[in-house]
Amino acid sequence: MAIDYFQLTGKTALVTGASSGLGEHFARVLASEGATVVVAARREEKLAELVADINANGGTAHALKLDVADKNSVADAFATVERDIGGIDILINNAGVATAPTRFVEMSEEDWHWVLDTNLNGAWRMAQAAAKQMIAKGTAGSIINVGSIYGLHTGVLKANYNVAKAAVVQLTKSMSMELSRNNIRVNSLCPGWFYTEMNEDYFSSEAGEKYIKGFPTKRLGRLDELTVPLLLLASNNAGGYINGSSITVDGGLVESPI
Ligand SMILES: NC(=O)c1ccc[n+]([C@@H]2O[C@H](COP(=O)([O-])OP(=O)(O)OC[C@H]3O[C@@H](n4cnc5c(N)ncnc54)[C@H](OP(=O)(O)O)[C@@H]3O)[C@@H](O)[C@H]2O)c1
């Protein structure tokens, strides 16, 4: 009998930044494989729409208001999940922000800290809370930190984002070493460019279209091209021996000189 490597029935996945973009897609994918999904972000009305849609299509979803940059919000979120659902098996640590391209010498303290507080400190906070809950419950968990190709090479005019994502990749490696003894895998998914709220203004502009023409593929990624890489890392049946890895999904962009 064929093994269904990606099936997640009986698992619970918490997806941060699920109110739009990649996170919304990840939540739909995990629900379609049978996982109960907890969709988390700050915009509750967006989460409510997503929950209604997933539930209407035969999945099981719950909304959770969450600000990853606020330690009390993260603590409350995990307490709520524990009380209402019991705990999580999978964390998709996806919430993130970016500032407009800015020269290093012109970057404000505010922009520096905003990106680091969300993309790195928020990811660390969520990962630590998830790992503690998984260890306490003896869960064979999977934590997926959403990095970026800018965690692996250096984008121009985005020192704050480059530093945060490079640190997320290193955080992934550090966590994987320490948590493998607890049967928890930690990997990072590093996308190239995908059209989302984060970049829609730029990629709708002439400059953005010109930039895309310089990619090896001459196109952005499609969200469905992240589906199998996500499931590979999420599912213990599929990715049980993958730990501490960073998987790029970027059409080769990270190796190009652009
Ligand atoms: N799009 C790309 O090309 C690309 C490439 C590589 C990596 N990434 C990474 O992918 C992740 C998702 O980005 P995206 O492209 O999907 O952008 P997006 O559509 O702007 O989504 C970002 C998500 O993060 C949430 N978020 C932001 N700050 C938050 C906070 N303090 N607490 C909780 N949630 C927060 C937002 O929800 P609320 O505003 O409702 O809180 C939103 O759901 C990010 O980590 C990004 O760096 C994106």
Side-chain angles (χ1 to χ4, degrees):
M1 200 172 77
I3 300 171
D4 190 348
Y5 285 103
F6 297 148
Q7 224 244 97
L8 296 171
T9 303
K11 304 286 184 187
T12 298
L14 169 56
V15 183
T16 71
S19 57
S20 59
L22 272 49
E24 180 184 335
H25 176 70
F26 294 154
R28 290 183 193 281
V29 166
L30 296 165
S32 74
E33 290 296 334
T36 295
V37 289
V38 181
V39 296
R42 295 164 302 180
R43 287 173 294 172
E44 291 181 281
E45 63 297 348
K46 292 256 184 193
L47 296 177
E49 282 170 30
L50 178 60
V51 165
D53 200 36
I54 289 174
N55 290 342
N57 283 291
T60 306
H62 304 269
L64 185 67
K65 187 169 188 198
L66 170 74
D67 180 350
V68 299
D70 175 351
K71 69 176 180 183
N72 294 324
S73 174
V74 171
D76 288 350
F78 275 89
T80 301
V81 167
E82 181 145 359
R83 188 193 63 219
D84 295 350
I85 304 175
I88 62 167
D89 303 279
I90 298 162
L91 170 67
I92 313 298
N93 217 354
N94 165 78
V97 293
T99 49
T102 311
R103 289 174 63 81
F104 173 72
V105 289
E106 285 158 11
M107 189 172 288
S108 66
E109 282 252 351
E110 194 184 31
D111 279 0
W112 177 263
H113 286 297
W114 185 54
V115 170
L116 269 290
D117 281 348
T118 308
N119 296 10
L120 175 59
N121 298 337
W124 163 77
R125 190 173 289 123
M126 286 299 300
Q128 191 191 52
K132 281 182 178 172
Q133 195 172 78
M134 288 171 182
I135 291 168
K137 291 178 179 296
T139 304
S142 170
I143 297 175
I144 301 174
N145 296 320
V146 177
S148 162
I149 53 169
Y150 298 117
L152 305 170
H153 85 170
T154 310
V156 287
L157 305 178
K158 43 171 87 34
N160 51 1
Y161 192 87
N162 292 337
V163 168
K165 291 299 186 181
V168 164
V169 168
Q170 187 54 248
L171 174 69
T172 300
K173 294 178 189 176
S174 302
M175 288 177 63
S176 70
M177 274 198 308
E178 292 193 36
L179 296 175
S180 57
R181 76 195 65 163
N182 299 108
N183 219 1
I184 298 168
R185 297 181 299 110
V186 189
N187 294 287
S188 73
L189 185 58
C190 293
W193 285 109
F194 291 73
Y195 188 88
T196 64
E197 284 182 15
M198 187 177 277
N199 52 43
E200 62 191 357
D201 289 344
Y202 178 61
F203 285 127
S204 303
S205 73
E206 217 171 287
E209 282 174 18
K210 197 170 159 206
Y211 181 60
I212 293 168
K213 292 205 176 95
F215 294 1
T217 53
K218 305 203 184 316
R219 69 168 175 88
L220 297 171
R222 293 189 308 265
L223 290 181
D224 64 55
E225 290 168 323
L226 291 166
T227 298
V228 167
L230 178 86
L231 291 172
L232 175 64
L233 298 180
S235 161
N236 289 342
N237 279 339
Y241 206 54
I242 304 178
N243 196 16
S245 293
S246 297
I247 297 189
T248 53
V249 183
D250 69 336
L253 190 55
V254 76
E255 300 301 343
S256 85
I258 192 168

